[in-house]
Amino acid sequence: MPSQPQEFWNMRAPSYDQTSGKTYAETYDQTAERSLKYLKPSDRVLEFACGTGLITLRLAPHVAHIRGIDISPGMADIAREKARGLPNVEITNTDLFDPCLEPGSFDAVCAYNVLLYLPDLPAALARIRELLKPGGVFLSATDCLGARPSVMGLKKLVKSRTGKMPYTAFFTQRGLERRIARSGFAVLERENLFPNPPNLFVAARVKS
């Protein structure tokens, strides 16, 4: 089984909506609902690790432009097909650190269900802060596998340690919130959206 992130998520792409999308359907709805409180019709939004576009398409009608990026061509292809005909949606197979993403060019950056898979979270959060305009908003939802034992957490622990899936972090909810705050953000809201493992929604604003 592929352990490199791009290969792993390419493999997951064809069945993602029928597996994770179905399990977390209500959580995706709650994530979009909470995110929309912080978005305006004039906003330009970047969604980092957009996957198959499950949340992208929920946010699109409410903003001026949303660009979804994903390192997996398979994920990006599915999201792009879903967004066909939507003029304010752009989906690309792009890395967060690609220079085509210009600093200070987004009103909001979203990162849903990806932070736990980043080996260098501080670097990613610093890049997200760089991409935001002054006072811009960072919106995330992240499984916190270190909060308390869960079947899913145990499976991911074994798979990540044996190379069957990429790096996986085991945050607690408070620990993740502190990491975001230490990266130059003021936390505006935090809410757990899933019983176990907790899926922590965080809304944060760039500190001036």
Side-chain angles (χ1 to χ4, degrees):
M1 184 180 293
S3 60
Q4 293 303 308
Q6 187 182 69
E7 296 174 356
F8 179 83
W9 294 112
N10 273 341
M11 182 189 68
R12 290 287 315 278
S15 62
Y16 191 83
D17 287 2
Q18 288 71 43
T19 53
S20 295
K22 184 175 293 186
T23 301
Y24 284 96
E26 185 176 342
T27 304
Y28 280 121
D29 288 339
Q30 292 182 63
T31 299
E33 181 182 342
R34 280 168 169 75
S35 296
L36 287 173
K37 295 190 298 183
Y38 300 94
L39 300 176
K40 304 184 299 295
S42 59
D43 281 350
R44 295 184 61 81
V45 178
L46 175 70
E47 186 185 355
F48 163 44
C50 67
T52 62
L54 287 169
I55 296 182
T56 318
L57 299 185
R58 289 168 164 88
L59 303 183
H62 306 278
V63 299
H65 184 267
I66 184 166
R67 177 170 181 173
I69 62 170
D70 203 286
I71 62 167
S72 162
M75 291 283 193
D77 285 347
I78 292 171
R80 191 180 299 112
E81 182 61 30
K82 289 181 183 179
R84 186 183 298 275
L86 300 177
N88 71 326
V89 180
E90 178 184 7
I91 305 292
T92 60
N93 176 209
T94 305
D95 182 80
L96 180 66
F97 293 91
D98 194 300
C100 72
L101 302 174
E102 298 182 6
S105 57
F106 297 98
D107 299 286
V109 173
C110 307
Y112 303 122
N113 305 307
V114 64
L115 297 187
L116 75 163
Y117 301 118
L118 304 178
D120 193 346
L121 180 60
L125 291 173
R127 173 61 167 161
I128 288 168
R129 190 177 189 279
E130 178 187 51
L131 293 173
L132 284 165
K133 296 177 181 179
V137 174
F138 173 50
L139 303 168
S140 69
T142 310
D143 278 350
C144 294
L145 301 174
R148 58 181 182 269
S150 68
V151 173
M152 184 183 297
L154 180 59
K155 287 180 178 178
K156 289 187 176 182
L157 175 65
V158 172
K159 287 183 178 180
S160 64
R161 297 296 187 270
T162 57
K164 293 183 178 180
M165 68 178 295
Y167 169 88
T168 304
F170 286 74
F171 305 122
T172 63
Q173 295 180 69
R174 290 295 183 187
L176 178 58
E177 183 181 353
R178 284 195 296 268
R179 289 167 189 252
I180 293 171
R182 284 200 301 263
S183 298
F185 294 96
V187 174
L188 307 173
E189 178 184 351
R190 62 183 302 279
E191 181 70 30
N192 177 26
L193 305 182
F194 198 80
N196 197 27
N199 185 264
L200 183 67
F201 172 80
V202 174
R205 190 177 303 280
V206 172
K207 290 181 180 177
S208 56

